[in-house]
Amino acid sequence: MSEKKIPKDLTEIPTEVVETDLLIVGGGNAGCFAAIEAKSQDPSLRVTVMEKAHISRSGATAAGMDAINTYIRTDKGETPESLVKWSRAQVGGGPIREDLALSNAQILNESVEMLEDWGLPIVKDEDGHYKLRGRFDISIQGEQLKPIMAEKAMEMGAKVYNRVAATNLLMQDGRCVGAMGFGVRDGRFYVFKAKATIVTTGGACGIYKNYTSDYSGAHHQTWMCPFNVGTGYAMGIRAGAEMTSLEQRWVAVRTKDFSGPVDTLSVGYGCLITNAKGERVLRDRYAHLGGDKAPRFVRLNAPMMEWLEGRGPVYVDTTVLDEEEAKDLREDLLNERPTFVLFLASRGIDITKEPVEIYGSDPYIVGGHTGSGFWVDIKRMTTIPGLFAAGEAAGGSPNKFVGGCAAEGRLAARGAMEYLGSVNTLDVDPQRVSKEKERVFAPLLRGPGFDGITPVEMEERLQRLMDEYAGGISQFYRMNEERLDYALKNVKILQAQTQYLFAKDLHELMNAHEVIDRLDVAELLIHHLKFRKETRWPGWQTRMDYPEPNPELDCFVESRRDPVTGSVEVFTRPYEQLIPGDRTEG
């Protein structure tokens, strides 16, 4: 089907059925590593990757990276256990799934070293070790990071379907037996039948309004890949999977008016966070929490408190750099955010004479940074048999970043291969497939003249609603019970109005399903925020009506939506500490 040709009805839309052993939904970092691991273990295995964009530049690492934020330098005395302790402390003592974090850490280094074997330049120190720029951060020249992963996955024999947007899991007898979606370029309806499925669709952004979206039509000047909208989470939610820790939102500190990296400046080059009065914010006000090495949510909340208390704007003080250090910094930025260098130049900013202003981002749901995502067992299988999750999609184990997500992709592949060896491909109910095809193409078949709602209109309403009532940036991430009740009520109104969405072309059809996915993630997120009646991570989750931690909520908050009735159940699971010691010290 031509991209511009609109079908008159479903009979004009071809259906393509693909049978495979292992289906990987999402060809980002974790997805590529899952494919590579599976083909390495069994070259005869049919491995299929379903990718919404193009695998060579998709997912959170699409634009490149200037560092890999987790690598264990054993010569420095670090161990998998010390990495888990550090990760636990970074989220204020948890809760985190220490079993998952430890299993990731145990194969972390070899996963990173695989990247170097495939051609990724990793910076070395004078002793030949990977060069540290923080305790667990190593510097890379990573502009080609994603193409390197993608090429290896294809070289190993994974079959990749680019430009196919996933819309729902294929379920049969309570088991996941694949996924369905549509071709964003060819307009086909795709049915992937698989013995096992791994979801590696990344996290969710665009649920909240970004503060910089007011000057242009670009809704997603975002810290994260703007195409990661929570589709994997949403498919699981609609199928009744258990989700964990959605309320542990990730909010990043970024350079203001341009989503540039702050850790590169503050951690990599020692440019400390400084307020408008010239005071070192973290060193002077948050020494009891670790100062400039305080947990990440503290480093996010501190600059925003300076604004609220009249000491903003806030900066990273780059004026401590000499000319040579400033040149090195610009070169590092070219690996991850080359346009940030252009942004500084366009404003005539000499960073050795003028500090760089910083601010908080909009909140995201990302299981590779915080702990949000699917509840999985040690083999990365979700609570739905046959469905596995890895990377940003798998919850409970924060601070995975590039290396940890790669390791988890490999672990999920191992778990899925063990599972698929014990099951057969099931026949799929054709009525279920027909019903999904009808649902998927409904916005397109309504036609461009339909008197309804465009995806952008619904997206703007959702983002402003979440921003104002569910703790967005305009509210300095604060919320209370009444605001959350309002947000939940209105999200459900929007969900009911998705029947009025219409699309003029295949790209808008994708946008329509993206906003439907965001709504389903937002609904469960609000339930999580309502349940956690405390403030455990100020900035990430600030309840004005419950400003202190509640010891009774030192546990995981879980949710599950009934796929038949749509009712949402919220409950808890206990925190199990495996690594001894003070949980707030890493």
Side-chain angles (χ1 to χ4, degrees):
M1 183 194 305
S2 161
E3 191 172 1
K4 293 183 179 179
K5 183 182 177 184
I6 305 301
K8 294 185 179 64
D9 55 45
L10 289 174
T11 63
E12 294 187 5
I13 299 170
T15 297
E16 183 167 340
V17 178
V18 179
E19 293 198 20
T20 187
D21 296 315
L22 176 61
L23 174 65
I24 299 168
V25 185
N29 175 13
C32 284
F33 269 86
I36 294 163
E37 179 71 15
K39 293 297 287 186
S40 298
Q41 298 281 335
D42 182 357
S44 69
L45 197 73
R46 295 174 299 171
V47 176
T48 302
V49 179
M50 185 181 185
E51 168 57 51
K52 182 170 72 172
H54 192 286
I55 193 171
S56 63
R57 287 286 184 184
S58 65
T61 59
M65 298 287 292
D66 65 354
I68 289 178
N69 294 331
T70 48
Y71 183 82
I72 300 168
R73 280 281 299 268
T74 54
D75 62 301
K76 298 286 187 182
E78 302 293 357
T79 64
E81 288 77 12
S82 67
L83 177 61
V84 175
K85 288 182 68 174
W86 169 84
S87 178
R88 185 173 66 191
Q90 286 296 307
V91 291
I96 74 168
R97 287 281 303 278
E98 298 187 17
D99 57 338
L100 301 181
L102 190 58
S103 61
N104 270 344
Q106 286 166 342
I107 64 165
L108 171 67
N109 281 12
E110 66 184 48
S111 302
V112 173
E113 290 158 9
M114 288 164 73
L115 285 167
E116 185 180 38
D117 290 342
W118 303 337
L120 177 71
I122 300 181
V123 181
K124 304 284 182 57
D125 62 19
E126 57 276 9
D127 297 320
H129 297 296
Y130 291 164
K131 183 179 180 182
L132 290 169
R133 69 169 204 179
R135 183 176 170 188
F136 293 104
D137 297 26
I138 58 171
S139 296
I140 64 172
Q141 294 170 349
E143 193 279 331
Q144 289 288 309
L145 176 63
K146 186 64 211 302
I148 288 171
M149 296 177 193
E151 287 174 13
K152 190 64 182 179
M154 291 185 287
E155 176 190 314
M156 295 293 292
K159 174 72 173 176
V160 180
Y161 285 79
N162 288 311
R163 314 291 185 192
V164 177
T167 57
N168 255 330
L169 299 173
L170 192 58
M171 299 291 295
Q172 190 68 37
D173 300 336
R175 174 183 144 198
C176 177
V177 293
M180 295 171 281
F182 70 97
V184 181
R185 295 288 171 83
D186 63 20
R188 290 172 175 267
F189 182 63
Y190 284 88
V191 180
F192 293 91
K193 298 170 64 177
K195 295 179 181 176
T197 301
I198 304 176
V199 172
T200 52
T201 44
C205 71
I207 293 175
Y208 287 83
K209 181 179 179 180
N210 187 289
Y211 73 92
T212 54
S213 63
D214 53 0
Y215 73 98
S216 74
H219 292 186
H220 302 293
Q221 193 193 76
T222 174
W223 155 82
M224 196 190 176
C225 174
F227 312 111
N228 289 4
V229 303
T231 294
Y233 302 147
M235 293 194 303
I237 289 168
R238 291 193 285 269
E242 179 180 333
M243 309 302 289
T244 186
S245 308
L246 298 185
E247 79 284 4
Q248 194 184 76
R249 306 177 303 171
W250 171 258
V251 187
V253 186
R254 310 302 288 168
T255 57
K256 194 166 186 298
D257 297 328
F258 182 99
S259 189
V262 168
D263 276 0
T264 302
L265 302 167
S266 62
V267 177
Y269 286 85
C271 304
L272 301 185
I273 294 177
T274 306
N275 67 19
K277 310 295 183 185
E279 299 164 325
R280 304 299 195 193
V281 175
L282 288 163
R283 186 195 67 187
D284 296 347
R285 301 188 194 286
Y286 296 87
H288 62 294
L289 296 175
D292 286 281
K293 295 183 179 179
R296 291 177 186 272
F297 64 90
V298 176
R299 285 186 273 156
L300 168 275
N301 200 45
M304 307 313 287
M305 291 300 295
E306 296 300 297
W307 268 86
L308 278 171
E309 295 174 359
R311 296 185 293 274
V314 183
Y315 308 91
V316 281
D317 186 8
T318 51
T319 64
V320 299
L321 301 176
D322 59 28
E323 288 295 336
E324 191 60 30
E325 290 169 328
K327 178 175 177 292
D328 291 343
L329 172 59
R330 291 190 191 94
E331 289 179 356
D332 275 356
L333 291 171
L334 288 173
N335 284 313
E336 181 175 340
R337 292 287 195 282
T339 50
F340 184 50
V341 178
L342 297 176
F343 172 79
L344 294 173
S346 70
R347 290 197 168 189
I349 296 175
D350 180 347
I351 60 174
T352 65
K353 296 182 174 61
E354 186 177 346
V356 176
E357 189 178 353
I358 61 173
Y359 206 66
S361 72
D362 47 318
Y364 311 99
I365 307 301
V366 279
H369 291 68
T370 50
S372 308
F374 284 90
W375 181 269
V376 295
D377 65 17
I378 194 65
K379 296 179 180 177
R380 273 56 177 184
M381 187 156 78
T382 72
T383 54
I384 294 178
L387 179 66
F388 295 75
E392 303 275 19
S397 176
N399 300 304
K400 285 179 279 196
F401 308 124
V402 173
C405 288
E408 191 157 59
R410 297 174 63 207
L411 292 173
R414 295 175 188 177
M417 292 178 70
E418 182 178 326
Y419 171 84
L420 66 83
S422 64
V423 297
N424 296 318
T425 303
L426 290 180
D427 291 330
V428 177
D429 180 358
Q431 287 189 340
R432 189 185 298 270
V433 173
S434 297
K435 188 175 178 181
E436 176 64 2
K437 184 176 181 179
E438 183 179 355
R439 184 190 78 89
V440 167
F441 287 95
L444 190 65
L445 295 178
R446 291 183 187 118
F450 183 73
D451 184 14
I453 306 167
T454 67
V456 169
E457 289 169 340
M458 185 163 285
E459 182 181 279
E460 286 188 347
R461 174 60 183 139
L462 169 68
Q463 290 177 345
R464 189 164 68 83
L465 175 69
M466 295 297 289
D467 178 62
E468 294 177 352
Y469 294 93
I473 177 65
S474 76
Q475 304 302 311
F476 287 83
Y477 312 116
R478 297 169 178 211
M479 65 197 84
N480 60 19
E481 191 75 10
E482 292 77 14
R483 289 190 200 178
L484 290 171
D485 284 340
Y486 183 94
L488 183 58
K489 176 183 176 182
N490 283 272
V491 161
K492 295 185 81 64
I493 290 173
L494 289 175
Q495 287 174 317
Q497 292 177 340
T498 56
Q499 62 181 310
Y500 304 119
L501 282 169
F502 72 100
K504 296 192 294 292
D505 53 36
L506 291 170
H507 186 80
E508 279 201 353
L509 182 63
M510 178 184 69
N511 294 152
H513 286 285
E514 287 178 337
V515 76
I516 290 170
D517 291 344
R518 286 186 172 112
L519 282 165
D520 286 341
V521 176
E523 180 194 5
L524 257 66
L525 167 59
I526 297 168
H527 277 286
H528 278 247
L529 292 169
K530 280 174 59 63
F531 192 91
R532 195 170 279 286
K533 291 180 172 33
E534 63 163 357
T535 297
R536 184 161 292 267
W537 309 285
W540 289 354
Q541 177 261 337
T542 303
R543 287 289 303 254
M544 291 180 293
D545 43 357
Y546 300 96
E548 301 296 331
N550 178 356
E552 294 182 0
L553 287 172
D554 185 17
C555 56
F556 296 98
V557 173
E558 309 289 301
S559 64
R560 182 167 44 232
R561 193 170 86 177
D562 188 305
V564 177
T565 68
S567 63
V568 175
E569 174 191 13
V570 186
F571 53 99
T572 63
R573 283 183 183 262
Y575 177 34
E576 297 181 18
Q577 182 174 358
L578 301 180
I579 309 297
D582 185 333
R583 286 165 43 190
T584 63
E585 294 182 358

